[in-house]
Amino acid sequence: MAKETKRAILIIVLANFIICLGWGLIIPVEPFIKIEYHLTAGQMGIMTSLYAFAQFIFSPVVGKISDKTGRTPILTAGLILYAVSEFMFAAAGDVMWFNISRIIGGISAAMVGTTSMAMAADLSSDKDRAKVIGWISAALSGGLIIGPGLGGVLANMSYKMPFWFSGISGIVAAIIFTIGIPKHLKAQSHGEVIEGLPVSDKGYKSIMSKAVIILFAMILVSSFGLSGFESIYTLYVNEVFKFTLNEIAIVLILNGIFSLILQVVLFDKMVNFFSEIGLTRICFIIGTLSTVWILLAHSQIEVIIATLFIFCAFDILRPSITTMLTRFGKNNQGLINGINMSLTSIGNIIGPIFAGGLMDINPHIPYIIVATILGASALITSLVSHEMKINKNIKTN
């Protein structure tokens, strides 16, 4: 990897870290915002759904536009728009403006997430791509690990301070990205050529092979399982196994540490050894077995160990799927990453509602369904693998 290319990728990684740090900052203050402005749980849920819905709508649109106009202007605008959404939330005083800021935040997430992954895929070779996507995933995890703690400190000054700080972090990320990316890479990202390949005008038709359709189906199905598990985890372990807030925090911190090591140090090695589809299948199997283990567990230590297996599998699964997607539609990275984010957003919208509703009936039912979904996703990987082998246009490792 050339020195300037590595520099550009590291700047993309840094920008993603700063943005995720901003997202993490607001996690500990959301309950206080709810109390301060006399909001209901339903109103808070709508805010979350609006964010995910905006991301769902705009991700494929933004990806397709970036394939034609270039990554740099879209990514820069997304960072600035993120800052605007955070400043707006900090200044807001009623539900309407909170909701508008969340919609803008979802649009910015579509612009930043889709375009940064596509740009990283453009700049990296097949050999280095898994490593690069692992770095970006680690940046996302690192921001979400550090953010809540820093947000708690800032919240001691004011409940709105983390949002002001998040907005400033977005501006800083935009400046770093704009100044730091080498000029010749900026010029390339504004053009109609990516890695020497002409951008296709056929859009969706150019990427929709049988293998891609099956892969997208797997992403859609698994996103329900992943979001369903994660959204009720703290409620489940508190209700069923009487975990305290401190015990939950320790589990999440341990997971963050292990995930960073896996994503930064070992991810590319695992991809090279197992292949993306093989690693994806292994993660689904680990997720299935560990979810069943939690359902059958009799002690907190069993739950903690199983949880670490599940969350680490999930944290490897997401970049593994993203890396695999880069092998399809090489000259439409923006579009294909946009569809990936859009399908994931559907799970983020419906999965938590679905799991929460079932938990009110019986706390074990959601995880029985999650285990079934993850097991089905592991089976679907065999179909994807078969289609990738017979598709001569897909380079597999």
Side-chain angles (χ1 to χ4, degrees), residues 260-280:
L260 282 175
I261 293 172
L262 287 171
Q263 290 169 340
V264 175
V265 180
L266 299 176
F267 178 68
D268 64 314
K269 295 179 176 63
M270 288 189 289
V271 166
N272 289 331
F273 187 81
F274 295 108
S275 82
E276 296 96 339
I277 190 65
L279 186 58
T280 299

Side-chain angles (χ1 to χ4, degrees), residues 148-185:
L150 181 57
V153 173
L154 293 171
N156 289 323
M157 306 177 196
S158 165
Y159 293 152
K160 294 292 191 76
M161 184 59 69
F163 295 94
W164 291 115
F165 193 92
S166 295
I168 294 171
S169 72
I171 297 295
V172 170
I175 293 172
I176 291 174
F177 179 77
T178 303
I179 295 175
I181 296 291
K183 289 183 179 180
H184 77 280
L185 294 179

